[in-house]
Amino acid sequence: MRILVTGGLGFIGRKIVLTALEGGHEVRILDRTPALPSTSTVDVVTGDVTDAAATEAALDGIDVVCHQAAKVGLGVNLQDMPAYVSDNDGGTAVLLAAMHRAGVDRLVLASSMVVYGEGRYDCPEHGRQPAPPRSKQALGAGQFEPTCELCGTPMTPGLVQEDAPLDPRNAYAASKIAQEHLTNIWANQTGGRAIALRYHNVYGPGMPQDTPYAGVASIFRSALLGGEAPQVFEDGQQRRDFVHVADVARANIASINAVTRDATAPYRAYNVGSGEVRSVHDMARALAEALDGPEPVVTGQFRLGDVRHITADSHRLGRELGWIPGVSFADGMRELAAERSDSMT
Ligand code: UD1
């Protein structure tokens, strides 16, 4: 298969490219980062996905697009909003229109678990209840768990499935939902086929580091390598599912194979997580132990727009596409700790 990977020089994109090549696919990369010239195995096009001409040219001869180019992270503040919308939504709109012109009708889209907002919660008294955004006041008072609107009791999080309501809590999440909606519309209007992969917290070799948009595992690793304690926000009990980049790359290849078969639905979304839910404090401790560094410090600080727990059920991807995660939390964190710093970006 001839695959175009947008953002193919990024953290996740690079791993997808390598995995696709190992699987015998032909790969072209479209990425705005200036890169080494194309090799005999990979064709690298330097260009921005928001640039219609560059994107259309990159689509020449392609069977399926794997769209990873995006601005990620929570964002530093509201001034990031225009860039999330133009890079993620503008870029996707330009790509979809160019795909239609070029007659390329298969797409795998990188989405995110943040599309669910706080996801699913149960009150011990009132059962399933919505979890409204956490106010600055509540967070400042150290009240981190979402509370029941009816009785104010802290609620218990549950695993979110793909048909849960979409409920963005920050600009990045809103931009990912818009990408999904645009893709769904494209599929229905053109007869195309698309799969959206809603990633949990992706980590592993090559993670971006030393930028405000780096994931928490990379931030803690950098702190520990500098001899400093990881700064754990809130009370450290916020839960995440840390999924290894190699597993995410395999999920993309499984989706590329599925979406190029005619039997698939026009549009299907899948959660992509390891199934191992850990607190951020546990993750900090695992890295501190592996690097023989100082104990993590729980600071009580918070970021507005952060969701408390992100825990979803990723079984649909296994049931329908045969994907199972291969890297355990313990092995993955040890590997991340042991990675040489100069091999990270
Ligand atoms: C992450 C991804 C996002 C992805 C989502 C899917 C990054 C930067 N963000 O968002 O692209 O869509 O997962 O689930 O990779 N924290 C600390 N100390 C710090 C920094 C963060 O305790 O120094 C805490 C945060 O408050 C949060 C948790 O760690 O509770 C995770 O933060 P972060 O790595 O930024 O990821 P998400 O917001 O979960």
Side-chain angles (χ1 to χ4, degrees):
M1 214 119 49
R2 288 159 302 178
I3 307 170
L4 176 67
V5 183
T6 71
L9 297 176
F11 163 48
I12 299 173
R14 259 178 302 171
K15 190 67 185 170
I16 294 171
V17 168
L18 292 173
T19 311
L21 291 172
E22 281 162 18
H25 297 293
E26 283 176 50
V27 180
R28 182 177 300 146
I29 291 171
L30 174 64
D31 199 298
R32 67 183 171 196
T33 312
L36 298 173
S38 303
T39 64
S40 54
T41 43
V42 192
D43 184 13
V44 186
V45 177
T46 303
D48 201 304
V49 78
T50 56
D51 174 343
T55 301
E56 191 169 350
L59 286 164
D60 186 41
I62 290 296
D63 299 311
V64 53
V65 176
C66 184
H67 183 32
Q68 306 294 316
K71 181 175 172 70
V72 300
L74 176 64
V76 177
N77 57 39
L78 203 82
Q79 298 313 310
D80 282 320
M81 195 182 251
Y84 280 114
V85 173
S86 60
D87 283 3
N88 299 357
D89 303 333
T92 300
V94 168
L95 173 67
L96 294 170
M99 287 175 70
H100 189 44
R101 287 196 301 279
V104 180
D105 61 356
R106 298 289 191 267
L107 176 70
V108 175
L109 171 72
S111 184
S112 165
M113 219 55 82
V114 294
V115 296
Y116 304 115
E118 282 294 351
R120 189 191 134 170
Y121 279 85
D122 291 295
C123 165
E125 174 79 15
H126 298 100
R128 184 78 42 87
Q129 288 297 321
R134 300 178 300 164
S135 70
K136 192 171 180 180
Q137 209 179 12
L139 290 166
Q143 190 191 317
F144 301 120
E145 288 303 340
T147 50
C148 173
E149 282 184 308
L150 299 176
C151 64
T153 310
M155 300 192 288
T156 315
L159 296 183
V160 183
Q161 282 171 346
E162 285 85 349
D163 52 5
L166 305 182
D167 185 12
R169 299 293 163 97
N170 54 58
Y172 168 66
S175 77
K176 283 281 143 188
I177 292 177
Q179 283 188 297
E180 287 207 30
H181 286 323
L182 293 170
T183 301
N184 196 357
I185 289 163
W186 165 86
N188 282 301
Q189 288 189 3
T190 65
R193 296 270 183 281
I195 286 178
L197 294 176
R198 295 177 179 160
Y199 303 157
H200 269 102
N201 294 59
V202 187
Y203 75 99
M207 268 185 102
Q209 59 178 351
D210 304 328
T211 107
Y213 306 96
V216 66
S218 171
I219 293 172
F220 288 173
R221 178 180 176 278
S222 297
L224 286 159
L225 289 176
E228 286 170 19
Q231 305 287 301
V232 181
F233 297 160
E234 304 188 15
D235 58 359
Q237 296 311 305
Q238 61 273 38
R239 274 174 267 188
R240 293 292 187 274
D241 175 327
F242 296 95
V243 60
H244 195 274
V245 66
D247 287 330
V248 173
R250 286 192 308 101
N252 275 275
I253 302 302
S255 302
I256 286 167
N257 290 331
V259 86
T260 46
R261 285 194 290 266
D262 277 335
T264 53
Y267 184 81
R268 192 91 175 132
Y270 295 93
N271 296 335
V272 187
S274 70
E276 285 190 70
V277 173
R278 302 289 164 142
S279 71
V280 170
H281 192 235
D282 282 348
M283 192 274 290
R285 273 212 307 257
L287 277 182
E289 202 177 296
L291 285 163
D292 204 14
E295 277 286 300
V297 174
V298 178
T299 66
Q301 271 174 281
F302 57 87
R303 303 187 304 194
L304 269 186
D306 252 344
V307 291
R308 175 65 171 166
H309 305 293
I310 303 184
T311 55
D313 180 340
S314 302
H315 284 100
R316 179 189 276 186
L317 188 54
R319 267 196 320 273
E320 296 185 9
L321 305 191
W323 174 88
I324 45 165
V327 183
S328 70
F329 175 82
D331 287 350
M333 287 298 156
R334 271 196 298 270
E335 177 204 44
L336 184 67
E339 190 189 7
R340 281 179 30 195
S341 257
D342 58 7
S343 65
M344 310 258 291
T345 50

Coordinates of all heavy atoms in Angstrom, one line a residue, residues 257-343:
N257 N -5.0 -1.0 7.4 CA -5.4 -2.3 6.7 C -6.9 -2.4 6.7 O -7.5 -2.8 5.7 CB -4.8 -3.5 7.4 CG -3.3 -3.6 7.2 OD1 -2.8 -3.1 6.2 ND2 -2.5 -4.1 8.2
A258 N -7.5 -2.0 7.8 CA -9.0 -2.2 7.8 C -9.7 -1.2 6.9 O -10.7 -1.5 6.2 CB -9.5 -2.0 9.3
V259 N -9.2 0.1 6.9 CA -10.0 1.1 6.2 C -9.8 0.9 4.7 O -10.6 1.5 3.9 CB -9.5 2.5 6.7 CG1 -8.2 3.0 5.9 CG2 -10.6 3.5 6.6
T260 N -8.8 0.2 4.3 CA -8.7 0.0 2.8 C -9.5 -1.2 2.4 O -9.5 -1.6 1.2 CB -7.2 -0.2 2.4 OG1 -6.6 -1.1 3.4 CG2 -6.5 1.2 2.5
R261 N -10.2 -1.9 3.3 CA -11.1 -3.0 2.9 C -12.5 -2.4 2.7 O -12.9 -1.5 3.6 CB -11.2 -4.1 4.0 CG -9.9 -4.9 4.0 CD -10.2 -6.2 4.8 NE -10.3 -5.9 6.2 CZ -9.3 -6.0 7.1 NH1 -8.1 -6.3 6.7 NH2 -9.4 -5.7 8.3
D262 N -13.2 -2.8 1.7 CA -14.5 -2.1 1.4 C -15.6 -2.4 2.5 O -16.5 -1.6 2.6 CB -15.0 -2.5 0.1 CG -14.3 -1.7 -1.0 OD1 -13.9 -0.6 -0.7 OD2 -14.2 -2.2 -2.2
A263 N -15.4 -3.4 3.3 CA -16.4 -3.8 4.2 C -16.6 -2.8 5.4 O -17.6 -2.9 6.1 CB -16.1 -5.2 4.7
T264 N -15.6 -1.9 5.6 CA -15.7 -1.1 6.8 C -16.8 0.0 6.6 O -17.2 0.4 5.5 CB -14.3 -0.3 7.0 OG1 -14.0 0.3 5.8 CG2 -13.3 -1.3 7.4
A265 N -17.2 0.5 7.8 CA -18.2 1.6 7.8 C -17.6 2.8 7.3 O -16.4 3.0 7.3 CB -18.7 1.8 9.3
P266 N -18.4 3.8 6.8 CA -17.8 5.1 6.4 C -16.9 5.7 7.4 O -15.8 6.3 7.1 CB -19.0 6.0 6.1 CG -20.1 5.0 5.9 CD -19.8 3.8 6.7
Y267 N -17.3 5.6 8.7 CA -16.6 6.3 9.7 C -16.7 5.5 11.0 O -17.8 5.1 11.4 CB -17.2 7.7 10.0 CG -16.4 8.5 11.0 CD1 -15.2 9.2 10.6 CD2 -16.8 8.6 12.3 CE1 -14.5 9.9 11.5 CE2 -16.1 9.3 13.2 CZ -14.9 10.0 12.8 OH -14.2 10.7 13.7
R268 N -15.5 5.2 11.7 CA -15.5 4.5 12.9 C -14.5 5.0 13.8 O -13.3 5.3 13.4 CB -15.2 3.0 12.6 CG -15.5 2.0 13.7 CD -16.9 1.5 13.6 NE -17.1 0.5 14.6 CZ -18.2 0.4 15.4 NH1 -19.1 1.4 15.3 NH2 -18.3 -0.5 16.3
A269 N -14.8 5.2 15.1 CA -13.8 5.7 16.1 C -13.4 4.6 17.0 O -14.2 3.7 17.4 CB -14.4 6.8 16.8
Y270 N -12.1 4.6 17.4 CA -11.6 3.6 18.4 C -10.8 4.3 19.5 O -9.9 5.1 19.2 CB -10.7 2.6 17.7 CG -11.4 1.7 16.7 CD1 -11.4 2.1 15.3 CD2 -12.0 0.5 17.0 CE1 -12.1 1.3 14.4 CE2 -12.7 -0.2 16.1 CZ -12.7 0.2 14.7 OH -13.4 -0.6 13.8
N271 N -11.0 3.9 20.7 CA -10.1 4.3 21.8 C -8.8 3.5 21.7 O -8.9 2.3 21.4 CB -10.8 4.0 23.2 CG -12.0 4.8 23.4 OD1 -12.2 5.9 22.8 ND2 -12.9 4.4 24.2
V272 N -7.7 4.1 22.0 CA -6.4 3.4 22.0 C -5.7 3.6 23.3 O -5.1 4.7 23.5 CB -5.5 3.9 20.8 CG1 -4.3 3.1 20.7 CG2 -6.3 4.0 19.5
G273 N -5.8 2.6 24.2 CA -5.1 2.7 25.5 C -4.6 1.4 25.8 O -4.9 0.3 25.3
S274 N -3.7 1.4 26.8 CA -3.0 0.1 27.2 C -3.9 -0.7 28.1 O -3.7 -1.9 28.3 CB -1.8 0.5 28.0 OG -2.2 1.0 29.3
G275 N -5.0 -0.1 28.7 CA -5.8 -0.9 29.6 C -5.3 -0.9 31.0 O -5.9 -1.3 31.9
E276 N -4.1 -0.3 31.2 CA -3.5 -0.2 32.6 C -3.7 1.3 33.0 O -3.0 2.2 32.5 CB -2.0 -0.5 32.5 CG -1.7 -1.9 32.4 CD -0.2 -2.1 32.6 OE1 0.3 -2.0 33.8 OE2 0.5 -2.4 31.6
V277 N -4.6 1.5 34.0 CA -4.8 2.9 34.4 C -3.9 3.1 35.6 O -3.8 2.4 36.6 CB -6.3 3.0 34.8 CG1 -6.5 4.4 35.4 CG2 -7.1 2.9 33.5
R278 N -3.2 4.3 35.6 CA -2.2 4.6 36.7 C -2.5 6.1 37.1 O -2.9 6.9 36.2 CB -0.8 4.5 36.2 CG -0.4 3.2 35.7 CD -0.3 2.2 36.8 NE -0.2 0.9 36.3 CZ 0.5 -0.1 36.8 NH1 1.3 0.1 37.8 NH2 0.5 -1.3 36.3
S279 N -2.1 6.4 38.3 CA -2.2 7.8 38.7 C -0.9 8.5 38.2 O 0.1 7.8 38.0 CB -2.3 8.0 40.2 OG -1.1 7.6 40.8
V280 N -1.0 9.8 38.1 CA 0.1 10.6 37.6 C 1.3 10.4 38.7 O 2.4 10.4 38.4 CB -0.3 12.1 37.4 CG1 1.0 12.9 37.2 CG2 -1.2 12.1 36.1
H281 N 0.9 10.4 39.9 CA 1.9 10.2 41.0 C 2.6 8.8 40.9 O 3.8 8.7 41.0 CB 1.2 10.3 42.4 CG 2.2 10.4 43.5 ND1 2.1 9.6 44.6 CD2 3.2 11.3 43.7 CE1 3.1 9.9 45.4 NE2 3.8 10.9 44.9
D282 N 1.8 7.8 40.6 CA 2.4 6.5 40.4 C 3.4 6.5 39.2 O 4.5 5.9 39.3 CB 1.4 5.4 40.0 CG 0.6 4.9 41.1 OD1 1.0 5.2 42.3 OD2 -0.5 4.3 40.9
M283 N 3.1 7.2 38.2 CA 4.0 7.3 37.0 C 5.2 8.0 37.4 O 6.4 7.6 37.1 CB 3.2 8.0 35.9 CG 3.9 7.9 34.5 SD 5.1 9.2 34.3 CE 4.0 10.6 34.2
A284 N 5.1 9.1 38.2 CA 6.3 9.9 38.6 C 7.2 9.0 39.5 O 8.4 9.0 39.3 CB 5.8 11.1 39.4
R285 N 6.5 8.2 40.3 CA 7.3 7.3 41.2 C 8.1 6.2 40.4 O 9.2 5.9 40.7 CB 6.4 6.6 42.3 CG 6.2 7.5 43.5 CD 6.1 6.6 44.7 NE 5.0 5.7 44.5 CZ 3.8 5.8 45.0 NH1 3.5 6.8 45.8 NH2 2.8 4.9 44.7
A286 N 7.4 5.7 39.4 CA 8.0 4.6 38.6 C 9.3 5.2 37.9 O 10.3 4.6 37.8 CB 7.0 4.1 37.5
L287 N 9.1 6.4 37.3 CA 10.3 7.0 36.7 C 11.4 7.4 37.6 O 12.6 7.2 37.4 CB 9.9 8.3 35.9 CG 9.3 8.1 34.5 CD1 8.9 9.4 33.9 CD2 10.2 7.3 33.6
A288 N 11.0 7.9 38.8 CA 12.0 8.3 39.8 C 12.8 7.1 40.3 O 14.0 7.1 40.4 CB 11.3 9.0 41.0
E289 N 12.1 6.0 40.5 CA 12.7 4.8 40.9 C 13.7 4.3 39.8 O 14.9 3.9 40.1 CB 11.7 3.7 41.2 CG 12.1 2.6 42.1 CD 11.0 1.7 42.4 OE1 10.0 2.1 43.0 OE2 11.1 0.5 41.9
A290 N 13.2 4.3 38.6 CA 14.1 3.8 37.5 C 15.3 4.6 37.3 O 16.3 4.1 36.8 CB 13.2 3.7 36.2
L291 N 15.2 5.9 37.6 CA 16.3 6.8 37.3 C 17.1 7.1 38.7 O 18.0 7.9 38.7 CB 15.9 8.1 36.7 CG 15.5 8.0 35.2 CD1 14.6 9.2 34.8 CD2 16.8 8.0 34.4
D292 N 16.7 6.4 39.7 CA 17.3 6.6 41.0 C 17.3 8.1 41.4 O 18.3 8.6 41.9 CB 18.7 6.0 41.0 CG 19.2 5.6 42.4 OD1 18.3 5.5 43.2 OD2 20.4 5.4 42.5
G293 N 16.2 8.7 41.2 CA 16.1 10.2 41.4 C 15.3 10.5 42.7 O 14.8 9.6 43.3
P294 N 15.2 11.8 42.9 CA 14.4 12.2 44.1 C 12.9 11.9 44.0 O 12.4 11.8 42.9 CB 14.6 13.8 44.1 CG 15.1 14.1 42.8 CD 15.7 12.9 42.2
E295 N 12.3 11.7 45.2 CA 10.9 11.4 45.3 C 10.1 12.5 44.6 O 10.4 13.7 44.8 CB 10.5 11.3 46.7 CG 10.8 10.0 47.4 CD 9.8 8.9 46.9 OE1 8.6 9.1 47.1 OE2 10.3 7.9 46.3
P296 N 9.0 12.2 43.9 CA 8.1 13.2 43.4 C 7.5 14.1 44.5 O 7.3 13.6 45.6 CB 7.0 12.4 42.7 CG 7.5 11.0 42.6 CD 8.6 10.8 43.6
V297 N 7.3 15.4 44.1 CA 6.7 16.3 45.0 C 5.3 16.6 44.5 O 5.1 17.0 43.4 CB 7.5 17.6 45.1 CG1 6.8 18.7 45.9 CG2 8.9 17.4 45.6
V298 N 4.3 16.4 45.4 CA 2.9 16.7 45.0 C 2.6 18.2 45.4 O 2.7 18.6 46.6 CB 1.9 15.8 45.8 CG1 0.5 16.2 45.4 CG2 2.2 14.4 45.4
T299 N 2.4 19.0 44.4 CA 2.4 20.5 44.6 C 1.0 21.1 44.8 O 1.0 22.2 45.3 CB 3.0 21.2 43.3 OG1 2.0 21.0 42.2 CG2 4.3 20.7 42.9
G300 N -0.1 20.4 44.5 CA -1.4 21.0 44.6 C -1.7 22.1 43.5 O -2.8 22.6 43.4
Q301 N -0.7 22.4 42.7 CA -0.9 23.3 41.5 C -1.9 22.6 40.6 O -2.1 21.4 40.6 CB 0.4 23.4 40.7 CG 1.3 24.5 41.1 CD 2.6 24.4 40.3 OE1 3.4 23.6 40.6 NE2 2.7 25.2 39.3
F302 N -2.5 23.4 39.7 CA -3.4 22.9 38.8 C -3.4 23.7 37.5 O -2.9 24.8 37.5 CB -4.9 22.9 39.3 CG -5.4 24.2 39.7 CD1 -6.0 25.1 38.8 CD2 -5.2 24.7 41.0 CE1 -6.4 26.3 39.2 CE2 -5.6 25.9 41.4 CZ -6.2 26.8 40.5
R303 N -3.9 23.1 36.4 CA -4.0 23.8 35.1 C -5.5 23.8 34.7 O -6.1 22.8 34.7 CB -3.2 23.0 34.0 CG -1.8 22.8 34.3 CD -1.0 22.1 33.1 NE -1.6 20.9 32.7 CZ -1.0 20.1 31.8 NH1 0.2 20.3 31.4 NH2 -1.6 19.0 31.4
L304 N -6.0 25.0 34.5 CA -7.4 25.2 34.1 C -7.5 24.5 32.7 O -6.7 24.6 31.8 CB -7.7 26.6 33.9 CG -8.3 27.4 35.1 CD1 -8.7 28.8 34.7 CD2 -9.4 26.6 35.7
G305 N -8.6 23.7 32.6 CA -8.8 23.0 31.3 C -8.4 21.5 31.4 O -8.7 20.7 30.6
D306 N -7.5 21.2 32.4 CA -7.1 19.8 32.6 C -8.4 19.0 33.0 O -9.1 19.5 33.8 CB -6.1 19.7 33.8 CG -4.7 19.4 33.3 OD1 -4.6 18.9 32.1 OD2 -3.8 19.5 34.1
V307 N -8.5 17.8 32.5 CA -9.5 16.9 33.0 C -8.9 16.1 34.1 O -7.7 15.8 34.2 CB -10.2 16.1 31.9 CG1 -11.0 16.9 31.0 CG2 -9.2 15.2 31.2
R308 N -9.8 15.6 35.0 CA -9.3 14.9 36.2 C -8.8 13.5 35.8 O -7.7 13.2 36.1 CB -10.4 14.8 37.2 CG -10.1 14.0 38.5 CD -9.0 14.6 39.3 NE -8.9 14.0 40.6 CZ -7.8 14.1 41.4 NH1 -6.8 14.9 41.1 NH2 -7.8 13.5 42.5
H309 N -9.7 12.7 35.3 CA -9.3 11.3 34.9 C -9.6 11.1 33.4 O -10.6 11.5 32.9 CB -10.1 10.3 35.7 CG -10.0 10.5 37.2 ND1 -8.8 10.3 37.9 CD2 -10.9 10.9 38.1 CE1 -9.0 10.6 39.2 NE2 -10.3 10.9 39.3
I310 N -8.6 10.4 32.8 CA -8.9 10.0 31.4 C -8.8 8.5 31.3 O -7.7 8.0 31.2 CB -8.0 10.7 30.4 CG1 -8.0 12.3 30.5 CG2 -8.3 10.3 28.9 CD1 -7.2 13.0 29.5
T311 N -9.9 7.8 31.4 CA -9.8 6.4 31.4 C -10.9 5.9 30.5 O -12.1 6.1 30.7 CB -10.0 5.8 32.8 OG1 -11.2 6.3 33.3 CG2 -8.9 6.2 33.7
A312 N -10.5 5.2 29.4 CA -11.5 4.7 28.5 C -11.3 3.2 28.2 O -10.3 2.6 28.6 CB -11.3 5.4 27.1
D313 N -12.3 2.6 27.6 CA -12.3 1.2 27.3 C -11.8 1.0 25.9 O -12.4 1.6 25.0 CB -13.7 0.7 27.5 CG -13.8 -0.8 27.2 OD1 -13.0 -1.3 26.5 OD2 -14.8 -1.4 27.6
S314 N -10.7 0.3 25.7 CA -10.1 0.2 24.4 C -10.4 -1.2 23.7 O -9.7 -1.6 22.8 CB -8.6 0.5 24.4 OG -8.4 1.7 24.9
H315 N -11.4 -1.9 24.2 CA -11.6 -3.3 23.7 C -12.2 -3.3 22.3 O -12.0 -4.3 21.6 CB -12.5 -4.0 24.6 CG -11.8 -4.5 25.9 ND1 -11.9 -3.8 27.1 CD2 -11.0 -5.5 26.1 CE1 -11.2 -4.4 28.0 NE2 -10.6 -5.4 27.4
R316 N -12.9 -2.2 21.9 CA -13.4 -2.3 20.5 C -12.3 -2.5 19.5 O -12.5 -3.2 18.5 CB -14.2 -0.9 20.2 CG -14.7 -0.9 18.8 CD -15.3 0.5 18.4 NE -16.6 0.7 18.9 CZ -17.4 1.7 18.6 NH1 -16.9 2.7 17.8 NH2 -18.6 1.9 19.0
L317 N -11.2 -1.8 19.7 CA -10.1 -1.9 18.7 C -9.6 -3.4 18.7 O -9.2 -3.9 17.6 CB -9.0 -1.0 19.2 CG -7.8 -0.8 18.3 CD1 -8.2 -0.4 16.9 CD2 -6.8 0.3 18.9
G318 N -9.6 -4.1 19.8 CA -9.2 -5.5 19.8 C -10.2 -6.4 19.2 O -9.8 -7.2 18.3
R319 N -11.4 -6.1 19.5 CA -12.5 -7.0 19.0 C -12.6 -6.8 17.5 O -12.7 -7.8 16.7 CB -13.9 -6.5 19.5 CG -14.3 -7.2 20.8 CD -15.8 -7.0 21.1 NE -16.3 -5.7 20.8 CZ -16.2 -4.7 21.7 NH1 -15.7 -4.9 22.9 NH2 -16.7 -3.5 21.4
E320 N -12.6 -5.6 17.0 CA -12.9 -5.4 15.5 C -11.6 -5.4 14.7 O -11.7 -5.8 13.5 CB -13.6 -4.1 15.3 CG -15.0 -4.1 16.0 CD -15.8 -2.9 15.8 OE1 -15.4 -2.0 14.9 OE2 -16.8 -2.7 16.4
L321 N -10.5 -5.0 15.2 CA -9.3 -4.9 14.3 C -8.1 -5.8 14.8 O -7.0 -5.8 14.3 CB -8.8 -3.4 14.2 CG -9.8 -2.4 13.7 CD1 -9.1 -1.1 13.4 CD2 -10.5 -2.9 12.5
G322 N -8.4 -6.5 15.9 CA -7.4 -7.5 16.3 C -6.2 -6.9 17.0 O -5.1 -7.6 17.1
W323 N -6.3 -5.7 17.5 CA -5.1 -5.0 18.1 C -5.1 -5.3 19.6 O -6.1 -5.2 20.3 CB -5.3 -3.5 17.9 CG -4.2 -2.7 18.6 CD1 -3.0 -2.3 18.1 CD2 -4.3 -2.1 19.9 NE1 -2.3 -1.5 19.0 CE2 -3.2 -1.4 20.1 CE3 -5.3 -2.0 20.9 CZ2 -2.9 -0.6 21.3 CZ3 -5.1 -1.3 22.0 CH2 -3.9 -0.6 22.2
I324 N -3.9 -5.7 20.1 CA -3.8 -5.8 21.6 C -2.5 -5.1 21.9 O -1.5 -5.2 21.2 CB -3.8 -7.2 22.2 CG1 -2.9 -8.2 21.3 CG2 -5.2 -7.8 22.3 CD1 -2.6 -9.4 22.1
P325 N -2.5 -4.3 23.0 CA -1.3 -3.6 23.4 C -0.2 -4.6 23.8 O -0.5 -5.6 24.4 CB -1.7 -2.7 24.6 CG -3.0 -3.3 25.1 CD -3.6 -4.1 23.9
G326 N 1.1 -4.3 23.5 CA 2.1 -5.2 23.7 C 3.1 -4.8 24.8 O 3.9 -5.6 25.3
V327 N 3.1 -3.5 25.2 CA 4.1 -3.0 26.1 C 3.5 -2.6 27.4 O 2.6 -1.8 27.5 CB 4.8 -1.7 25.5 CG1 6.0 -1.3 26.5 CG2 5.4 -2.0 24.1
S328 N 4.0 -3.3 28.5 CA 3.4 -3.0 29.8 C 3.9 -1.7 30.3 O 4.9 -1.2 29.9 CB 3.8 -4.1 30.8 OG 5.2 -4.0 31.1
F329 N 3.2 -1.1 31.3 CA 3.5 0.1 31.9 C 4.9 0.0 32.5 O 5.8 0.9 32.3 CB 2.5 0.5 33.0 CG 2.8 1.7 33.8 CD1 2.6 2.9 33.4 CD2 3.4 1.5 35.1 CE1 2.9 4.1 34.1 CE2 3.7 2.6 35.9 CZ 3.4 3.9 35.4
A330 N 5.2 -1.1 33.3 CA 6.5 -1.2 34.0 C 7.6 -1.3 32.9 O 8.6 -0.5 33.1 CB 6.5 -2.5 34.8
D331 N 7.5 -2.1 31.9 CA 8.6 -2.2 30.9 C 8.7 -0.8 30.1 O 9.9 -0.4 29.9 CB 8.2 -3.2 29.8 CG 8.4 -4.6 30.4 OD1 8.9 -4.7 31.6 OD2 7.9 -5.6 29.8
G332 N 7.6 -0.2 29.8 CA 7.7 1.0 29.0 C 8.4 2.2 29.8 O 9.1 2.9 29.2
M333 N 8.0 2.3 31.1 CA 8.6 3.3 31.9 C 10.1 3.1 32.1 O 10.9 4.0 32.1 CB 7.9 3.5 33.2 CG 6.5 4.1 33.1 SD 6.6 5.8 32.4 CE 5.0 6.0 31.7
R334 N 10.5 1.8 32.3 CA 11.9 1.5 32.4 C 12.7 1.9 31.2 O 13.8 2.5 31.2 CB 12.1 0.0 32.8 CG 12.1 -0.2 34.3 CD 12.7 -1.6 34.6 NE 11.9 -2.7 34.0 CZ 10.8 -3.3 34.5 NH1 10.5 -2.9 35.8 NH2 10.2 -4.2 33.9
E335 N 12.1 1.6 30.0 CA 12.7 1.9 28.7 C 12.8 3.4 28.6 O 13.9 3.9 28.1 CB 11.9 1.3 27.6 CG 12.4 1.6 26.2 CD 11.3 1.6 25.2 OE1 10.2 2.1 25.4 OE2 11.5 1.0 24.1
L336 N 11.8 4.1 28.9 CA 11.8 5.6 28.8 C 12.9 6.2 29.7 O 13.7 7.1 29.2 CB 10.5 6.2 29.2 CG 10.3 7.7 29.0 CD1 10.4 8.1 27.5 CD2 9.0 8.2 29.6
A337 N 13.0 5.7 30.9 CA 14.0 6.1 31.8 C 15.5 5.9 31.3 O 16.4 6.7 31.4 CB 13.9 5.5 33.2
A338 N 15.6 4.7 30.6 CA 17.0 4.3 30.1 C 17.4 5.0 28.8 O 18.5 4.9 28.5 CB 17.0 2.8 30.0
E339 N 16.4 5.6 28.2 CA 16.7 6.1 26.8 C 17.8 7.3 26.9 O 17.7 8.1 27.8 CB 15.5 6.7 26.2 CG 15.7 7.1 24.7 CD 14.4 7.8 24.2 OE1 13.6 8.2 25.0 OE2 14.4 8.1 23.0
R340 N 18.7 7.2 26.0 CA 19.7 8.3 25.9 C 19.0 9.6 25.6 O 18.2 9.7 24.7 CB 20.7 8.0 24.9 CG 21.8 7.0 25.3 CD 22.8 6.7 24.3 NE 23.0 7.8 23.4 CZ 23.6 7.8 22.2 NH1 24.0 6.6 21.7 NH2 23.8 8.8 21.5
S341 N 19.4 10.7 26.3 CA 18.8 12.0 26.1 C 18.9 12.5 24.7 O 18.0 13.1 24.2 CB 19.4 13.0 27.0 OG 18.5 13.2 28.1
D342 N 20.0 12.3 24.1 CA 20.2 12.9 22.7 C 19.4 12.2 21.7 O 19.4 12.6 20.5 CB 21.7 12.9 22.4 CG 22.4 11.6 22.4 OD1 21.6 10.6 22.5 OD2 23.6 11.5 22.2
S343 N 18.8 11.1 22.0 CA 17.9 10.4 21.0 C 16.5 10.9 21.1 O 15.6 10.6 20.3 CB 17.9 8.9 21.2 OG 17.3 8.6 22.4

